[in-house]
């Protein structure tokens, strides 16, 4: 159950508090350390998937933990950005609410025996969120260059992709569960 791939996924979940703690202290050095920790945690997303597929270690636990780990890491950092006033609260609220809705839909779909797989927009959203978070985390100028405005633009684009993929999940859920004709009771 807890194979190597799942342990790496758990590591990503455990990295979230560390990244948030480093951001809490603020300052250029802590931001760089938080960024490095976040990049490391983000890379584990690719590593755990690679190991699971390559080593034939794909498990139900992994299918559950992997998207959860992404949500915990990204949402924790985005919420911390709101506290630090580094990201607009309404953008973070939209992204976090989308994550909650999609997680709920996936749980209800599984109860119906339906798997709602991640679509292109959902995968692109996750990648874009990572690419937005890194320059937002490097909030202080590096060699006189301010990177955070680039991160803010990318965050807005990630929010749009989050909305698009959220609508796709809702549509897929409806089409695969609610839109199916129900068998009639025969007496």
């Amino acid at each position: 159950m807890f194979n190597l791939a799942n342990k790496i996924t758990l590591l990503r979940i455990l990295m979230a508090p560390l990244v948030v703690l480093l951001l809490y202290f603020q300052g250029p050095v802590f931001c760089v350390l938080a960024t490095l920790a976040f990049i490391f945690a983000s890379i584990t997303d690719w590593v755990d998937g690679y190991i699971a597929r390559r080593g034939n270690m794909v498990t139900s636990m992994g299918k559950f933990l992997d998207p959860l780990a992404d949500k915990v890491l990204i949402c924790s950092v985005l919420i911390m950005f709101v506290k630090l006033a580094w990201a607009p609260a309404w953008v973070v609220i939209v992204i976090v609410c989308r994550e909650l809705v999609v997680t709920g839909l996936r749980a209800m779909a599984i109860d119906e025996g339906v798997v709602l797989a991640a679509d292109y927009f959902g995968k692109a959203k996750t990648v874009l969120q990572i690419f937005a978070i890194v320059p937002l985390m490097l909030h202080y100028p590096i060699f006189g260059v301010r990177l955070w405005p680039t991160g803010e633009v990318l965050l807005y684009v990630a929010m749009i992709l989050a909305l698009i993929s959220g609508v796709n999940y809702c549509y897929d859920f409806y089409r695969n569960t609610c839109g199916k004709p129900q068998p009639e009771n025969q007496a």
Side-chain angles (χ1 to χ4, degrees):
M1 184 194 266
F2 277 102
N3 57 35
L4 179 60
N6 291 344
K7 289 176 183 175
I8 293 170
T9 303
L10 284 174
L11 175 63
R12 186 161 68 257
I13 292 172
L14 295 174
M15 292 292 294
L18 173 64
V19 173
V20 169
L21 181 66
L22 289 168
L23 286 172
Y24 180 79
F25 291 114
Q26 298 182 21
V29 171
F30 288 108
C31 286
V32 168
L33 292 174
T35 303
L36 293 173
F38 178 79
I39 290 169
F40 173 79
S42 298
I43 290 170
T44 66
D45 187 21
W46 177 83
V47 171
D48 64 12
Y50 177 80
I51 289 173
R53 286 185 300 276
R54 179 99 173 172
N56 199 22
M57 295 183 212
V58 176
T59 63
S60 295
M61 170 81 70
K63 289 178 186 177
F64 169 75
L65 284 179
D66 188 61
L68 177 66
D70 295 341
K71 288 170 184 20
V72 167
L73 178 64
I74 289 173
C75 289
S76 297
V77 170
L78 290 177
I79 291 167
M80 188 63 184
F81 284 171
V82 171
K83 186 224 180 287
L84 297 170
W86 293 357
W90 71 272
V91 172
V92 173
I93 289 168
V94 168
I95 291 171
V96 171
C97 286
R98 179 263 183 211
E99 299 300 342
L100 293 172
V101 167
V102 167
T103 300
L105 289 177
R106 279 184 163 162
M108 291 187 323
I110 287 172
D111 194 44
E112 298 287 325
V114 175
V115 175
L116 296 178
D119 65 357
Y120 170 79
F121 291 108
K123 291 177 182 179
K125 176 238 5 144
T126 301
V127 171
L128 205 53
Q129 285 174 336
I130 292 167
F131 280 104
I133 286 172
V134 169
L136 282 168
M137 246 187 227
L138 296 170
H139 193 73
Y140 300 93
I142 297 176
F143 302 112
V145 177
R146 295 175 28 190
L147 299 173
W148 68 264
T150 301
E152 195 167 274
V153 169
L154 292 174
L155 187 63
Y156 282 108
V157 177
M159 180 197 67
I160 292 167
L161 287 178
L163 289 171
I164 292 169
S165 71
V167 168
N168 283 348
Y169 273 107
C170 290
Y171 175 74
D172 284 348
F173 175 79
Y174 176 79
R175 187 172 47 91
N176 291 308
T177 59
C178 304
K180 285 183 181 176
Q182 299 297 321
E184 294 182 29
N185 290 337
Q186 296 178 355

